[in-house]
Amino acid sequence: MGDQRSSCSLATLEGDPNPIIPLTVQRKLVERGSQKGKGIAVLTSGGDSQGMNAAVRAVVRFGIYLGCKVYFIKEGYQGMVDGGSNIVEAEWASVSGIIHRGGTVIGSARCLDFKTREGEVKAAKNLLEKGICNLVVIGGDGSLTGANRFKNEWSSLLKELVDTKQISQELADRHSYLNIVGMVRFCAFSSLINCFLPRLALLTMTSVGQT
């Protein structure tokens, strides 16, 4: 296939002063086990929402397909700060029969501790002890803002942990970069729409009235 186009398409492009050029989508097969040994964790944060369990299931099963060690972080950021039994390895069967259930099977909680430097240091250490440097956060605006802040501070958190001899330099070097994927829960998206559209309509009506 490549960049080949039909003569009909070429003729259409030549006769159109503003052509819409078709894009070639490159599809790449993701091989089973291609990310073997990497650690990835998923957490749900903020209020419960429909679709959270389906998202958790997708993360776990695709992660296992890739050969990753996949972990649940229970009770959102609070579980990441507290560590211990709140961070547990997930198996294929762990997410069987959950997509029809409401809320989130791994729990969700608001966490003030994660907004402090001390809380972030604890969370980083707990992830490193499990070999996790890939994190999927399912939540709303506040949850994703916290995830972005955590990612931006990752290097300084590693340095602090090394300087205080809580982890070795070797461990820090092996997990020098934190990858984060944020998934917006549905109710957060609908709230955004419900808040934004009325304001946009009001702004539009005001602008029309002024012209």
Side-chain angles (χ1 to χ4, degrees):
M1 298 293 292
D3 295 325
Q4 294 179 355
R5 292 174 291 185
S6 66
S7 58
C8 179
S9 297
L10 289 173
T12 302
L13 291 174
E14 290 171 358
D16 189 347
N18 299 299
I20 298 176
I21 302 174
L23 300 177
T24 301
V25 178
Q26 300 292 334
R27 297 184 181 276
K28 183 178 179 181
L29 179 65
V30 180
E31 296 182 3
R32 181 188 294 271
S34 59
Q35 304 297 320
K36 186 174 183 179
K38 293 187 177 180
I40 180 172
V42 57
L43 66 85
T44 52
S45 177
D48 291 353
S49 169
Q50 59 269 46
M52 276 187 161
N53 288 329
V56 170
R57 178 180 183 271
V59 171
V60 169
R61 292 203 165 171
F62 193 61
I64 291 173
Y65 170 84
L66 294 175
C68 300
K69 281 190 174 184
V70 186
Y71 294 87
F72 291 136
I73 298 180
K74 299 180 179 180
E75 304 303 329
Y77 287 122
Q78 190 64 57
M80 193 161 73
V81 172
D82 294 341
S85 60
N86 291 298
I87 304 178
V88 296
E89 188 169 355
E91 299 177 351
W92 189 273
S94 302
V95 290
S96 294
I98 69 168
I99 59 175
H100 65 285
R101 296 170 61 182
T104 164
V105 295
I106 57 177
S108 177
R110 302 191 186 280
C111 178
L112 295 178
D113 291 339
F114 190 66
K115 295 182 178 181
T116 68
R117 179 68 177 186
E118 182 182 0
E120 288 185 324
V121 170
K122 288 180 179 178
K125 183 182 178 184
N126 289 330
L127 293 184
L128 290 167
E129 288 177 344
K130 299 287 188 180
I132 299 168
C133 58
N134 301 283
L135 187 62
V136 178
V137 178
I138 305 169
D141 179 67
S143 301
L144 302 188
T145 298
N148 187 58
R149 185 186 69 248
F150 189 54
K151 179 181 183 297
N152 291 336
E153 295 179 359
W154 185 252
S155 295
S156 66
L157 293 170
L158 293 183
K159 184 178 185 304
E160 183 171 337
L161 287 167
V162 171
D163 290 345
T164 55
K165 301 187 185 306
Q166 297 185 62
I167 65 169
S168 67
Q169 184 63 56
E170 181 186 0
L171 181 61
D173 291 341
R174 288 205 312 267
H175 303 88
S176 59
Y177 192 79
L178 178 66
N179 299 299
I180 289 185
V181 171
M183 302 175 69
V184 182
R185 68 177 190 270
F186 179 79
C187 63
F189 177 74
S190 60
S191 297
L192 176 65
I193 295 300
N194 291 335
C195 291
F196 176 71
L197 287 184
R199 293 181 184 180
L200 178 61
L202 179 61
L203 178 63
T204 302
M205 288 187 291
T206 303
S207 299
V208 170
Q210 292 176 347
T211 56

